[in-house]
Amino acid sequence: MATKSQQNAQNCRDFTKTLHKTPYPALLNPPDNLPKEYTICILGGHGAAGTGLAKAYTQAGATGIILASRTLSALEETAIQLRTINPNIKIVIVECDISSNSAVQQMAHTAAREFNSRLDVVIVNAGFSGPMGTDIVAEKPEWFESALGVNTLGTFYAAHYLIPMLLREGTGTGDDIGSCGGGSFIAISSMAAPTVSGFGAHAHYCVSKAAQARLVEMVYEHIE
């Protein structure tokens, strides 16, 4: 009989009753009613998810985007795609290893300089996973170090250095405009977070994503 922990992942899957395999109209035609000045920071700003997020915010009317990752050439490719959507958007690309405290701090300094210490959305999309497997003895220590460094510590560094810019007066959307702190801090999670067994239960990734999920809960409680 499966334990409650072993049932976690399936319970999460069952929670969402409707599964979409193709984009639906609301995704294909995002609203373009963002405030006049709206700035996004995406750590892990390339690849399918990072580029997709950046394009969606650009289509919705964002005026500024910071793209950060360890590979500048990949960020430049994303920036080219964004400029085809809006040639006037301000794009800042930053080489940044999210697992490095000093690198994230320097990226935050760049964001503050380029956008007057004001952000509306921060998205932590960067992630690391080594080979998949279910043998803790076979997992290498460096996989754990990298997973915790990128997925967990990196999320903390982003929160520590960037949340103050989300709390500036006038950030965010809706009724909170003009108040203190309407910005959003988003971390891209994974079904690995509740997974302890079966397919995809490679310990270094699951543990680091579970820790990231709890960290984001604590960010909410501390900022709320």
Side-chain angles (χ1 to χ4, degrees):
M1 181 177 178
T3 66
K4 289 185 176 180
S5 292
Q6 290 171 335
Q7 296 171 1
N8 283 344
Q10 189 59 50
N11 289 339
C12 288
R13 294 186 183 96
D14 294 341
F15 181 80
T16 302
K17 301 302 180 184
T18 303
L19 300 179
H20 295 276
K21 296 184 179 180
T22 57
Y24 45 91
L27 295 178
L28 294 173
N29 301 291
D32 56 357
N33 58 351
L34 292 179
K36 185 177 180 180
E37 293 185 8
Y38 203 81
T39 303
I40 320 299
C41 177
I42 304 177
L43 295 96
H46 64 89
T51 300
L53 287 164
K55 291 170 68 175
Y57 275 107
T58 302
Q59 291 170 341
T63 55
I65 291 187
I66 303 169
L67 301 173
S69 83
R70 292 181 297 175
T71 310
L72 281 179
S73 59
L75 296 179
E76 290 166 352
E77 292 175 3
T78 300
I80 290 172
Q81 295 184 53
L82 301 186
R83 292 192 180 99
T84 63
I85 299 172
N86 178 7
N88 298 318
I89 189 171
K90 179 177 180 179
I91 303 172
V92 176
I93 61 174
V94 181
E95 184 175 11
C96 177
D97 176 0
I98 194 174
S99 67
S100 166
N101 174 39
S102 59
V104 179
Q105 183 181 36
Q106 185 57 47
M107 189 272 293
H109 289 328
T110 299
R113 181 181 69 250
E114 295 289 341
F115 293 100
N116 195 30
S117 298
R118 181 187 181 281
L119 295 173
D120 294 281
V121 179
V122 170
I123 302 176
V124 180
N125 177 58
F128 171 85
S129 174
M132 296 177 65
T134 55
D135 184 352
I136 192 68
V137 177
E139 295 210 28
K140 296 182 179 180
E142 52 263 36
W143 299 347
F144 258 89
E145 292 169 358
S146 294
L148 289 168
V150 173
N151 303 335
T152 310
L153 280 175
T155 302
F156 165 73
Y157 296 147
H160 179 72
Y161 291 114
L162 298 174
I163 282 180
M165 285 183 266
L166 294 172
L167 299 179
R168 289 285 302 273
E169 182 176 350
T171 58
T173 60
D175 295 336
D176 53 16
I177 293 178
S179 64
C180 183
S184 299
F185 183 84
I186 302 168
I188 305 301
S189 189
S190 167
M191 280 301 300
T195 297
V196 298
S197 64
F199 177 78
H202 40 322
H204 65 277
Y205 186 64
C206 294
V207 169
S208 65
K209 295 303 281 189
Q212 180 196 50
R214 178 51 58 89
L215 173 60
V216 173
E217 288 183 302
M218 298 190 73
V219 167
Y220 174 82
E221 294 294 339
H222 289 189
I223 301 302
E224 183 71 7

